[in-house]
Amino acid sequence: MIKTWELDPNFKEEIMKERGGEHLTACFQCSTCTIGCPITEYVPSYNPRKIIQMSLLGMRKEVLSNPDLWVCLICQTCTARCPQDVRISDLLSAIRRIADKEAEAGNIKIDSSRPIFDKAFQHQLEKYGRLYDIGLAKEYYPKREGSFFKGMMAMMNDYKDFGMRMFKKGKMGPKAMFPEKVKDRAVMKKIFEEMGEK
Amino acid sequence: MSVTKLAYYPGCPSDATAIDQDMSTKAVFEKLGVELVEVEDWNCCGAAEVEEPELVYALNARNLAIAEKEGLDIVTPCSICYYNLERSNIALKADDKLRAKVKGIDSSLDYNGKIKAKHVLDVFVNDIGLEELSSKMSKKLNLKVAPYYGCYIGRPPETAFDDPDDPDSMDKLIELMGGEIVPFSQMKTFCCGGPLMMTRSDIAFEMARKILDTAKSAGADCIALACPLCGMMLDGKQADIEKALHVEIDMPVVYITQLLGLALGIDAKELGLNKNAVDTKEILGKVV
């Protein structure tokens, strides 16, 4: 049920101000995005057409707290097929960024570990300029599991076989224990300060 | 042949989980007489985890600016790096204000829009060309191959260099090497699940399994691909998928650069073919 008195008429402008969200109102609800989306087979509730419709109606809270936002693969199938050039993949990214800011401000709760993962990933780039897998895992797993010990257990569970396999093939040696760093790390810091999440 | 020198952007997994892709890319270009100059002190492209577009543009402006100083186009073997480099390139070229904003962060991000970013597959098929490649091949691959393209070769439209639904650049290359393409069109551009590996591995495993199963039932000797994340999912994680989903797959997965290297007569070890997680010995026996 839609409670009209709870709708936010400014929500669509809020989305359209974000990079990637500009084409929101071009959607004519044909559902091509949803029919072709590979995720719908695994998450039947996933429906980008509906997310767009709810956004246009101003159902801000429902859209931003929808956990389905975080199972998008960014595979661009919807974007490639959309007859109205809505740029759905970029549009959903714009909505996720608004959702993330709202969650950071304590206004909504996001039922997905993806924001934790994305942030842990970005922290590696900010610090080293390149991805440091171990640093990423050491930040991500404990935060996801809510404690250092549980996090380490979950990490072991995911990685013990994989790590050994990569080690045997010479793909993960002692060198992988330490981060690869760019020399100009000061510029990485500046980039994140200027362009990163505020 | 017009290409003689390119800036090389290896991407983060190049010295670890995708070292085989890095080795084979370098070996193949050397054999083809194309000099690769590594982008000096390159930084990560932002992968799929940096969602803020301006942050992606700034990160890649630095890489593009370094290559631009050398006067070279950038080539990368990773589909995600390619997508981020080229979409940043397009955005920066089109928008003077954005370029000024990025340059304002640091003078090392001063990029003037004079180069292009390219995927290795695009360079092989469209810049070097099949005729030139064919003239340098010394071996025939008696292999049935499932060509897997993944997401960023045919999508999104502004950076794509092949068809979104039925790409064929890799097909043409494989056939040129003597390989046979198995029926695989349904899975060619189906996402490997990689972006959800760390947060929804249940979905990611099912997606990867679907691709592997399809290749297997089509009778493929191997899957060929052109992205280290796809490689990680389909090859690196294959044993984990088998264990988690109680299935047996045993499908060799190789990079297109490894196959091309074999056709060019390069030694298998030099192409890192002893480093793929699923054993590749059976494939090597079919190269004559």
Side-chain angles (χ1 to χ4, degrees):
Chain A
M1 192 167 61
I2 300 169
K3 295 172 187 156
T4 51
W5 59 92
E6 283 182 3
L7 297 178
D8 180 347
N10 299 319
F11 186 41
K12 56 176 178 290
E13 275 84 22
E14 186 182 0
I15 294 171
M16 290 168 80
K17 259 190 261 163
E18 287 283 328
R19 261 191 200 270
E22 299 92 341
H23 299 196
L24 172 66
T25 51
C27 175
F28 58 26
Q29 294 284 303
C30 71
S31 234
T32 302
C33 51
T34 309
I35 292 159
C37 175
I39 273 293
T40 53
E41 187 181 333
Y42 309 97
V43 184
S45 62
Y46 187 72
N47 189 329
R49 182 209 49 82
K50 198 168 162 189
I51 293 171
I52 293 172
Q53 188 183 34
M54 289 167 76
S55 301
L56 289 166
L57 284 169
M59 299 171 75
R60 190 173 187 276
K61 198 163 184 178
E62 290 87 341
V63 169
L64 296 183
S65 50
N66 183 351
D68 287 354
L69 287 176
W70 304 92
V71 294
C72 165
L73 295 149
I74 328 179
C75 76
Q76 309 279 350
T77 307
C78 50
T79 294
R81 292 180 183 174
C82 175
Q84 286 292 93
D85 195 29
V86 176
R87 315 280 320 171
I88 300 143
S89 194
D90 297 343
L91 171 69
L92 286 171
S93 170
I95 297 175
R96 281 194 295 274
R97 297 197 306 273
I98 298 172
D100 191 47
K101 271 179 215 150
E102 284 295 287
E104 289 283 321
N107 298 332
I108 60 164
K109 239 182 93 65
I110 293 173
D111 183 19
S112 165
S113 55
R114 178 118 158 237
I116 304 172
F117 180 70
D118 288 356
K119 283 195 190 85
F121 190 103
Q122 292 185 28
H123 291 154
Q124 310 310 310
L125 306 196
E126 193 173 357
K127 266 190 269 183
Y128 309 118
R130 291 187 193 167
L131 174 60
Y132 174 40
D133 283 315
I134 293 180
L136 168 60
K138 266 166 65 186
E139 178 175 339
Y140 170 60
Y141 280 102
K143 277 192 183 161
R144 187 185 81 179
E145 299 298 322
S147 88
F148 182 77
F149 179 73
K150 278 190 196 159
M152 289 298 114
M153 296 297 283
M155 182 167 94
M156 281 296 290
N157 193 38
D158 281 0
Y159 275 92
K160 60 180 192 311
D161 295 349
F162 178 79
M164 192 42 81
R165 197 176 311 132
M166 292 294 110
F167 176 74
K168 279 187 190 153
K169 293 286 181 176
K171 287 180 160 181
M172 221 179 245
K175 218 177 123 219
M177 298 298 129
F178 304 98
E180 282 280 320
K181 299 173 190 168
V182 303
K183 285 182 211 117
D184 192 355
R185 287 200 295 290
V187 73
M188 290 299 129
K189 206 163 174 274
K190 277 201 222 169
I191 290 173
F192 275 85
E193 271 168 17
E194 289 292 324
M195 299 296 206
E197 286 159 24
K198 298 291 175 317
Chain B
M1 187 174 77
S2 55
V3 199
T4 54
K5 199 173 175 184
L6 291 163
Y8 177 52
Y9 182 84
C12 295
S14 60
D15 67 345
T17 53
I19 193 166
D20 36 5
Q21 189 183 31
D22 180 64
M23 290 167 72
S24 54
T25 302
K26 287 173 177 162
V28 162
F29 277 106
E30 194 188 335
K31 189 83 177 182
L32 293 171
V34 178
E35 189 187 343
L36 294 185
V37 183
E38 187 163 318
V39 175
E40 172 79 25
D41 202 36
W42 57 271
N43 57 264
C44 173
C45 71
E49 283 74 15
V50 175
E51 293 229 65
E52 177 55 54
E54 292 197 357
L55 183 51
V56 174
Y57 302 155
L59 286 168
N60 289 287
R62 181 170 176 272
N63 296 321
L64 290 162
I66 296 167
E68 188 182 51
K69 272 204 193 104
E70 303 283 327
L72 298 172
D73 286 339
I74 293 186
V75 66
T76 178
C78 170
S79 297
I80 302 176
C81 300
Y82 163 67
Y83 167 60
N84 282 331
L85 282 162
E86 187 56 10
R87 75 171 158 133
S88 301
N89 190 21
I90 293 168
L92 290 160
K93 270 184 188 170
D95 187 343
D96 296 342
K97 262 199 208 150
L98 173 68
R99 227 168 38 245
K101 187 175 174 186
V102 166
K103 184 185 164 186
I105 299 172
D106 190 90
S107 60
S108 66
L109 308 183
D110 184 8
Y111 174 61
N112 299 302
K114 298 228 171 76
I115 61 164
K116 258 192 83 65
K118 295 231 161 193
H119 189 284
V120 285
L121 183 61
D122 190 17
V123 173
F124 292 150
V125 176
N126 299 315
D127 294 347
I128 296 174
L130 297 179
E131 211 172 301
E132 171 83 23
L133 291 173
S134 169
S135 73
K136 292 191 167 153
M137 287 178 186
S138 57
K139 293 264 170 88
K140 184 173 183 273
L141 310 184
N142 280 325
L143 290 173
K144 290 183 177 168
V145 184
Y148 177 68
Y149 293 77
C151 298
Y152 296 109
I153 286 171
R155 300 185 297 259
E158 67 275 17
T159 51
F161 56 91
D162 209 332
D163 189 85
D165 298 310
D166 188 22
D168 68 352
S169 47
M170 208 168 359
D171 297 42
K172 284 192 268 186
L173 192 50
I174 291 163
E175 280 170 345
L176 190 73
M177 300 188 272
E180 183 190 328
I181 305 292
V182 300
F184 197 61
S185 52
Q186 301 252 313
M187 284 298 115
K188 272 181 172 180
T189 64
F190 184 84
C191 176
C192 71
L196 292 181
M197 180 58 230
M198 294 295 283
T199 53
R200 284 298 301 269
S201 58
D202 55 330
I203 299 176
F205 276 11
E206 286 289 356
M207 293 184 77
R209 179 178 101 150
K210 193 166 169 170
I211 297 162
L212 292 163
D213 273 351
T214 307
K216 194 173 180 178
S217 44
D221 294 311
C222 66
I223 292 176
L225 44 73
C227 170
L229 184 59
C230 305
M232 154 96 102
M233 282 308 297
L234 300 182
D235 183 46
K237 296 271 177 190
Q238 194 177 123
D240 298 311
I241 293 166
E242 289 179 315
K243 195 174 164 189
L245 303 178
H246 312 288
V247 287
E248 202 186 309
I249 303 167
D250 199 22
M251 172 58 62
V253 179
V254 294
Y255 292 105
I256 189 67
T257 44
Q258 291 182 306
L259 284 186
L260 181 54
L262 288 173
L264 293 168
I266 302 170
D267 179 61
K269 239 183 171 167
E270 209 186 318
L271 298 165
L273 277 154
N274 54 340
K275 291 178 181 290
N276 299 56
V278 180
D279 201 280
T280 60
K281 276 193 203 88
E282 258 182 62
I283 306 176
L284 300 181
K286 295 181 181 178
V287 179
V288 291

